[in-house]
Amino acid sequence: MVRAEDAGIPSKASSTNVRVRISDSNDNSPAFNDADYTFHITENQPISTSVGIVQASDIDNGTHAKLIYSIVSGENSNHFSIHPVEGTLYTAVVLDRETVKEYRIKVKASDSAAFPNDLSNITNVYITVLDQNDNNPSFSLPFYNTSVPENSPSGTSVTMVTADDRDTDANAELTYSISHSSSVEYFSIDSATGEVTVKNVFDYEAMKVINVTITAQDNGIIRLSGSVSLVIYIEDVNDNNPVIERG
């Protein structure tokens, strides 16, 4: 209420109610609900798969509190997009863990005040790409060959084969086996190390070459495998006496 009074004798006065409306000034920057954000997503998901939501608020009013989200920086940040109003992050490409395992991108929340009075804030978003068993084991060589003397006792080391899997954890844990049925009789393989050893004694005079097929299989839920050929040449040992034929 405002009252006005003159200085006369007697004085006269009048009063009225005054309503004051306070207009908002854009004096508060947007604030994210969390200091930073961490999300996980499995590789090979289709484009536009939701990754997570970042959210901010602004205690101003009207357009000063209406927020717009955008991705502003980060290596390979173009692998993602963001809904400008909701703050939902989506994949923009099919992610491959074997190419990029982790992302760190910066997301900005800006109010809708006219430039240059607009205010903004930035948060870090960490995205970890989880493995999917999408790589077959592969051997270090396209094929192997070696030799071993005949009559070698059981347990004699013949060779070592090695394979690798670009996946991780159980999807990269390999188990070796001999899958060629005819060679299982003569050789065995350490399922963990890939070392091939003699299983039973063999005779050069009976066979000179043995073909072995070796398989490496991962331990994923859906197991993938790769195979390689191993050719083993049997070396002759002077284990037979001359025989004199009588005419």
Side-chain angles (χ1 to χ4, degrees), residues 141-200:
L141 296 174
F143 62 89
Y144 293 81
N145 59 69
T146 189
S147 61
V148 62
E150 64 173 330
N151 301 325
S152 295
S154 176
T156 299
S157 179
V158 178
T159 191
M160 180 87 74
V161 298
T162 56
D164 181 57
D165 194 311
R166 296 178 63 210
D167 294 312
T168 188
D169 299 327
N171 296 335
E173 296 173 0
L174 302 182
T175 300
Y176 297 95
S177 63
I178 293 176
S179 52
H180 198 293
S181 58
S182 62
S183 55
V184 173
E185 177 183 352
Y186 302 103
F187 299 99
S188 60
I189 188 169
D190 188 300
S191 61
T193 66
E195 182 183 16
V196 179
T197 56
V198 173
K199 184 177 181 180
N200 292 310

Coordinates of all heavy atoms in Angstrom, one line a residue, residues 141-200:
L141 N 49.4 -68.7 -37.4 CA 49.9 -69.1 -38.7 C 48.7 -69.7 -39.5 O 47.8 -70.3 -39.0 CB 51.0 -70.1 -38.6 CG 52.3 -69.7 -37.9 CD1 53.2 -70.8 -37.7 CD2 52.9 -68.5 -38.6
P142 N 48.8 -69.6 -40.9 CA 47.7 -70.1 -41.7 C 47.7 -71.7 -41.7 O 46.7 -72.3 -41.9 CB 48.0 -69.6 -43.1 CG 49.5 -69.2 -43.1 CD 49.8 -68.8 -41.7
F143 N 48.9 -72.3 -41.5 CA 49.0 -73.7 -41.3 C 50.4 -74.0 -40.6 O 51.2 -73.1 -40.5 CB 49.0 -74.4 -42.7 CG 50.2 -74.1 -43.6 CD1 51.4 -74.7 -43.5 CD2 50.0 -73.0 -44.5 CE1 52.4 -74.4 -44.4 CE2 51.1 -72.6 -45.3 CZ 52.3 -73.3 -45.2
Y144 N 50.5 -75.2 -40.0 CA 51.7 -75.6 -39.3 C 52.2 -76.9 -39.9 O 51.5 -77.7 -40.4 CB 51.4 -75.9 -37.8 CG 50.9 -74.6 -37.0 CD1 49.6 -74.2 -37.1 CD2 51.9 -74.0 -36.2 CE1 49.2 -73.0 -36.4 CE2 51.5 -72.8 -35.5 CZ 50.2 -72.4 -35.6 OH 49.8 -71.3 -34.8
N145 N 53.5 -77.0 -39.9 CA 54.1 -78.3 -40.2 C 55.4 -78.5 -39.3 O 56.0 -77.6 -38.9 CB 54.5 -78.4 -41.7 CG 55.5 -77.4 -42.2 OD1 56.6 -77.4 -41.8 ND2 55.0 -76.5 -43.0
T146 N 55.6 -79.8 -39.0 CA 56.7 -80.1 -38.2 C 57.1 -81.6 -38.4 O 56.5 -82.3 -39.3 CB 56.4 -79.9 -36.7 OG1 57.6 -80.1 -35.9 CG2 55.3 -80.9 -36.2
S147 N 58.1 -82.1 -37.7 CA 58.5 -83.5 -37.9 C 58.8 -84.1 -36.5 O 59.1 -83.3 -35.5 CB 59.7 -83.6 -38.8 OG 60.8 -82.9 -38.2
V148 N 58.7 -85.4 -36.4 CA 59.0 -86.1 -35.2 C 59.5 -87.5 -35.5 O 59.0 -88.1 -36.5 CB 57.7 -86.2 -34.3 CG1 56.6 -87.0 -35.0 CG2 58.0 -86.8 -32.9
P149 N 60.5 -87.9 -34.8 CA 61.1 -89.3 -35.1 C 60.1 -90.4 -34.8 O 59.3 -90.3 -33.9 CB 62.3 -89.3 -34.2 CG 62.6 -87.9 -33.8 CD 61.3 -87.2 -33.8
E150 N 60.1 -91.4 -35.6 CA 59.3 -92.6 -35.3 C 59.7 -93.2 -34.0 O 60.8 -92.9 -33.5 CB 59.4 -93.6 -36.4 CG 60.8 -94.2 -36.6 CD 60.9 -95.3 -37.6 OE1 59.8 -96.0 -37.7 OE2 61.9 -95.6 -38.2
N151 N 58.9 -93.9 -33.4 CA 59.1 -94.6 -32.1 C 59.3 -93.6 -30.9 O 59.8 -94.0 -29.9 CB 60.4 -95.5 -32.2 CG 60.2 -96.6 -33.3 OD1 59.1 -97.1 -33.5 ND2 61.3 -96.9 -34.0
S152 N 58.9 -92.3 -31.1 CA 59.0 -91.4 -30.0 C 58.1 -91.8 -28.9 O 56.9 -92.2 -29.2 CB 58.7 -90.0 -30.5 OG 59.6 -89.5 -31.4
P153 N 58.5 -91.8 -27.7 CA 57.6 -92.3 -26.6 C 56.4 -91.3 -26.4 O 56.5 -90.2 -26.7 CB 58.6 -92.3 -25.4 CG 59.6 -91.3 -25.7 CD 59.8 -91.4 -27.2
S154 N 55.4 -91.9 -25.7 CA 54.2 -91.1 -25.4 C 54.6 -89.9 -24.5 O 55.4 -90.0 -23.6 CB 53.2 -92.0 -24.7 OG 52.1 -91.2 -24.2
G155 N 54.1 -88.8 -24.8 CA 54.4 -87.5 -24.1 C 55.5 -86.7 -24.7 O 55.7 -85.5 -24.2
T156 N 56.1 -87.2 -25.8 CA 57.1 -86.4 -26.5 C 56.5 -85.1 -27.1 O 55.4 -85.2 -27.8 CB 57.8 -87.2 -27.6 OG1 58.4 -88.3 -27.0 CG2 58.8 -86.4 -28.3
S157 N 57.1 -84.0 -26.8 CA 56.5 -82.7 -27.4 C 56.8 -82.7 -28.9 O 57.9 -82.9 -29.4 CB 57.1 -81.5 -26.7 OG 56.6 -80.3 -27.2
V158 N 55.7 -82.3 -29.7 CA 55.8 -82.3 -31.1 C 55.9 -80.8 -31.6 O 56.8 -80.4 -32.3 CB 54.7 -83.0 -31.8 CG1 54.7 -82.8 -33.3 CG2 54.6 -84.4 -31.4
T159 N 55.0 -80.0 -31.1 CA 55.0 -78.6 -31.5 C 54.0 -77.8 -30.6 O 53.3 -78.5 -29.8 CB 54.6 -78.4 -33.0 OG1 54.9 -77.0 -33.3 CG2 53.2 -78.7 -33.2
M160 N 53.9 -76.6 -30.7 CA 53.0 -75.7 -30.0 C 52.2 -74.9 -31.0 O 52.8 -74.2 -31.9 CB 53.7 -74.8 -29.0 CG 52.8 -73.9 -28.2 SD 52.2 -74.7 -26.7 CE 53.6 -74.7 -25.7
V161 N 50.9 -74.9 -30.9 CA 50.1 -74.0 -31.8 C 49.4 -72.9 -30.9 O 49.1 -73.2 -29.7 CB 49.0 -74.8 -32.5 CG1 49.6 -75.8 -33.5 CG2 48.0 -75.5 -31.6
T162 N 49.2 -71.7 -31.4 CA 48.6 -70.7 -30.6 C 47.6 -70.0 -31.4 O 47.7 -69.7 -32.6 CB 49.7 -69.6 -30.2 OG1 50.4 -69.1 -31.3 CG2 50.7 -70.2 -29.2
A163 N 46.5 -69.6 -30.7 CA 45.4 -68.9 -31.4 C 45.1 -67.7 -30.5 O 45.5 -67.6 -29.3 CB 44.2 -69.8 -31.6
D164 N 44.4 -66.7 -31.1 CA 44.0 -65.5 -30.4 C 42.5 -65.2 -30.7 O 42.0 -65.6 -31.7 CB 44.9 -64.3 -30.8 CG 44.6 -63.0 -30.1 OD1 44.6 -63.0 -28.8 OD2 44.3 -62.0 -30.8
D165 N 41.9 -64.5 -29.7 CA 40.5 -64.1 -29.9 C 40.4 -62.6 -29.5 O 40.8 -62.2 -28.4 CB 39.6 -64.9 -29.1 CG 38.1 -64.8 -29.5 OD1 37.6 -63.7 -29.6 OD2 37.4 -65.9 -29.6
R166 N 39.9 -61.8 -30.4 CA 39.8 -60.4 -30.2 C 38.7 -60.0 -29.2 O 38.7 -58.8 -28.7 CB 39.5 -59.6 -31.5 CG 40.7 -59.8 -32.5 CD 40.3 -59.0 -33.8 NE 40.2 -57.6 -33.6 CZ 39.4 -56.8 -34.3 NH1 38.6 -57.3 -35.2 NH2 39.3 -55.5 -34.0
D167 N 37.9 -60.9 -28.8 CA 36.9 -60.6 -27.7 C 37.6 -60.6 -26.4 O 38.8 -60.6 -26.3 CB 35.8 -61.7 -27.8 CG 35.0 -61.6 -29.1 OD1 34.6 -60.5 -29.4 OD2 34.8 -62.6 -29.7
T168 N 36.8 -60.5 -25.3 CA 37.4 -60.4 -24.0 C 36.7 -61.4 -23.0 O 35.6 -62.0 -23.3 CB 37.3 -59.0 -23.5 OG1 38.0 -58.8 -22.2 CG2 35.8 -58.6 -23.2
D169 N 37.3 -61.6 -21.9 CA 36.8 -62.5 -20.8 C 36.5 -63.9 -21.3 O 37.4 -64.4 -22.1 CB 35.6 -61.8 -20.2 CG 35.9 -60.5 -19.5 OD1 37.0 -60.3 -19.0 OD2 35.0 -59.6 -19.6
A170 N 35.4 -64.5 -21.0 CA 35.1 -65.8 -21.4 C 35.1 -65.9 -22.9 O 35.4 -67.0 -23.5 CB 33.8 -66.3 -20.8
N171 N 34.7 -64.9 -23.6 CA 34.6 -64.9 -25.0 C 36.0 -65.0 -25.7 O 36.1 -65.3 -26.9 CB 33.9 -63.6 -25.5 CG 32.5 -63.6 -25.1 OD1 31.8 -64.6 -24.8 ND2 31.9 -62.3 -25.0
A172 N 37.0 -64.8 -24.9 CA 38.4 -64.9 -25.4 C 39.2 -66.1 -24.8 O 40.4 -66.3 -25.1 CB 39.1 -63.6 -25.2
E173 N 38.6 -66.8 -23.9 CA 39.2 -68.0 -23.3 C 39.1 -69.2 -24.2 O 38.0 -69.6 -24.6 CB 38.6 -68.3 -21.9 CG 38.8 -67.2 -20.9 CD 38.0 -67.4 -19.6 OE1 37.3 -68.5 -19.6 OE2 38.0 -66.6 -18.7
L174 N 40.3 -69.7 -24.6 CA 40.3 -70.7 -25.7 C 40.5 -72.1 -25.2 O 41.3 -72.3 -24.2 CB 41.3 -70.3 -26.7 CG 41.1 -69.0 -27.4 CD1 42.2 -68.8 -28.5 CD2 39.7 -68.9 -28.0
T175 N 39.9 -73.1 -25.8 CA 40.1 -74.5 -25.5 C 40.6 -75.2 -26.8 O 39.9 -75.0 -27.9 CB 38.9 -75.2 -25.0 OG1 38.5 -74.5 -23.8 CG2 39.1 -76.6 -24.7
Y176 N 41.7 -75.9 -26.8 CA 42.2 -76.5 -28.0 C 41.8 -78.0 -28.0 O 41.7 -78.7 -27.0 CB 43.8 -76.4 -28.0 CG 44.3 -75.0 -28.1 CD1 44.7 -74.3 -26.9 CD2 44.5 -74.4 -29.3 CE1 45.2 -73.0 -27.0 CE2 45.0 -73.1 -29.4 CZ 45.3 -72.4 -28.3 OH 45.8 -71.1 -28.3
S177 N 41.6 -78.5 -29.2 CA 41.3 -79.9 -29.4 C 41.8 -80.4 -30.7 O 41.9 -79.6 -31.7 CB 39.8 -80.2 -29.2 OG 39.1 -79.5 -30.2
I178 N 41.9 -81.7 -30.9 CA 42.2 -82.3 -32.2 C 40.9 -82.8 -32.7 O 40.3 -83.6 -32.1 CB 43.3 -83.4 -32.0 CG1 44.6 -82.8 -31.6 CG2 43.4 -84.2 -33.4 CD1 45.7 -83.9 -31.4
S179 N 40.5 -82.3 -33.9 CA 39.2 -82.7 -34.4 C 39.3 -83.7 -35.6 O 38.2 -84.1 -36.0 CB 38.5 -81.4 -34.9 OG 39.3 -80.6 -35.7
H180 N 40.5 -84.0 -36.0 CA 40.6 -85.0 -37.1 C 40.7 -86.4 -36.5 O 41.6 -86.7 -35.8 CB 41.9 -84.7 -37.9 CG 41.9 -85.3 -39.3 ND1 42.0 -86.7 -39.4 CD2 41.9 -84.8 -40.5 CE1 42.0 -87.0 -40.7 NE2 41.9 -85.9 -41.4
S181 N 39.6 -87.1 -36.7 CA 39.5 -88.4 -35.9 C 40.6 -89.4 -36.1 O 41.0 -90.1 -35.2 CB 38.2 -89.1 -36.4 OG 38.1 -89.3 -37.7
S182 N 41.2 -89.4 -37.3 CA 42.2 -90.4 -37.6 C 43.6 -90.1 -36.9 O 44.4 -91.0 -36.7 CB 42.5 -90.5 -39.1 OG 43.0 -89.3 -39.6
S183 N 43.8 -88.8 -36.5 CA 45.0 -88.4 -35.9 C 44.9 -88.5 -34.4 O 46.0 -88.4 -33.7 CB 45.4 -87.0 -36.4 OG 44.4 -86.1 -36.2
V184 N 43.7 -88.6 -33.8 CA 43.6 -88.6 -32.3 C 44.3 -89.8 -31.8 O 44.7 -89.8 -30.6 CB 42.1 -88.6 -32.0 CG1 41.9 -88.8 -30.5 CG2 41.4 -87.3 -32.4
E185 N 44.4 -90.9 -32.5 CA 45.0 -92.1 -32.1 C 46.5 -91.9 -31.8 O 47.1 -92.6 -30.9 CB 44.8 -93.2 -33.1 CG 45.5 -94.5 -32.8 CD 45.4 -95.6 -33.9 OE1 44.6 -95.3 -34.8 OE2 46.0 -96.6 -33.8
Y186 N 47.1 -91.0 -32.5 CA 48.6 -90.8 -32.4 C 49.0 -89.6 -31.6 O 50.1 -89.6 -31.1 CB 49.2 -90.8 -33.8 CG 48.8 -92.0 -34.7 CD1 47.9 -91.9 -35.6 CD2 49.5 -93.2 -34.5 CE1 47.6 -93.0 -36.4 CE2 49.2 -94.3 -35.2 CZ 48.2 -94.2 -36.2 OH 47.9 -95.3 -36.9
F187 N 48.2 -88.6 -31.6 CA 48.6 -87.3 -30.9 C 47.5 -86.8 -30.0 O 46.3 -87.1 -30.1 CB 48.9 -86.2 -32.0 CG 50.0 -86.6 -32.9 CD1 49.7 -87.1 -34.2 CD2 51.3 -86.5 -32.6 CE1 50.7 -87.5 -35.1 CE2 52.3 -86.8 -33.4 CZ 52.0 -87.3 -34.7
S188 N 48.0 -86.1 -29.0 CA 47.0 -85.4 -28.1 C 47.5 -83.9 -28.0 O 48.6 -83.6 -28.4 CB 47.0 -86.0 -26.7 OG 48.3 -86.0 -26.1
I189 N 46.6 -83.1 -27.5 CA 46.9 -81.6 -27.4 C 46.5 -81.1 -26.0 O 45.4 -81.6 -25.5 CB 46.2 -80.8 -28.5 CG1 46.7 -79.4 -28.5 CG2 44.7 -80.9 -28.4 CD1 46.3 -78.6 -29.7
D190 N 47.3 -80.3 -25.4 CA 46.9 -79.7 -24.1 C 45.8 -78.7 -24.4 O 46.0 -77.7 -25.2 CB 48.1 -79.0 -23.5 CG 47.9 -78.5 -22.1 OD1 47.0 -77.7 -21.9 OD2 48.6 -78.9 -21.2
S191 N 44.7 -78.9 -23.8 CA 43.5 -78.0 -24.1 C 43.7 -76.6 -23.7 O 43.0 -75.7 -24.3 CB 42.2 -78.6 -23.4 OG 42.4 -78.5 -22.0
A192 N 44.6 -76.3 -22.8 CA 44.8 -74.9 -22.4 C 46.0 -74.2 -23.1 O 46.0 -73.0 -23.4 CB 45.1 -74.9 -20.9
T193 N 47.1 -75.0 -23.4 CA 48.3 -74.4 -23.9 C 48.5 -74.6 -25.4 O 49.2 -73.8 -26.0 CB 49.5 -74.9 -23.2 OG1 49.7 -76.3 -23.5 CG2 49.4 -74.8 -21.7
G194 N 47.8 -75.6 -26.0 CA 48.0 -75.8 -27.4 C 49.2 -76.7 -27.7 O 49.6 -76.8 -28.9
E195 N 49.9 -77.3 -26.7 CA 51.0 -78.1 -27.0 C 50.6 -79.5 -27.5 O 49.8 -80.2 -26.9 CB 51.9 -78.3 -25.7 CG 53.1 -79.1 -26.0 CD 54.0 -79.3 -24.7 OE1 53.4 -79.1 -23.6 OE2 55.1 -79.8 -24.9
V196 N 51.2 -79.9 -28.6 CA 50.8 -81.2 -29.2 C 51.9 -82.2 -28.8 O 53.1 -81.9 -28.9 CB 50.8 -81.1 -30.8 CG1 50.5 -82.4 -31.4 CG2 49.7 -80.1 -31.2
T197 N 51.5 -83.3 -28.3 CA 52.4 -84.4 -27.9 C 52.1 -85.7 -28.5 O 50.9 -85.9 -29.0 CB 52.4 -84.5 -26.3 OG1 51.1 -84.7 -25.9 CG2 52.9 -83.2 -25.7
V198 N 53.1 -86.6 -28.5 CA 52.8 -88.0 -28.9 C 51.9 -88.7 -28.0 O 52.1 -88.6 -26.7 CB 54.2 -88.7 -29.1 CG1 53.9 -90.2 -29.4 CG2 55.0 -88.0 -30.2
K199 N 51.0 -89.4 -28.5 CA 50.0 -90.2 -27.7 C 50.4 -91.7 -27.7 O 50.5 -92.4 -26.7 CB 48.6 -90.0 -28.2 CG 47.6 -90.7 -27.3 CD 46.2 -90.3 -27.8 CE 45.1 -91.0 -27.0 NZ 43.7 -90.6 -27.5
N200 N 50.6 -92.2 -29.0 CA 51.0 -93.6 -29.1 C 52.1 -93.7 -30.1 O 52.3 -92.8 -31.0 CB 49.8 -94.4 -29.7 CG 48.7 -94.6 -28.6 OD1 48.9 -94.9 -27.5 ND2 47.4 -94.3 -29.0

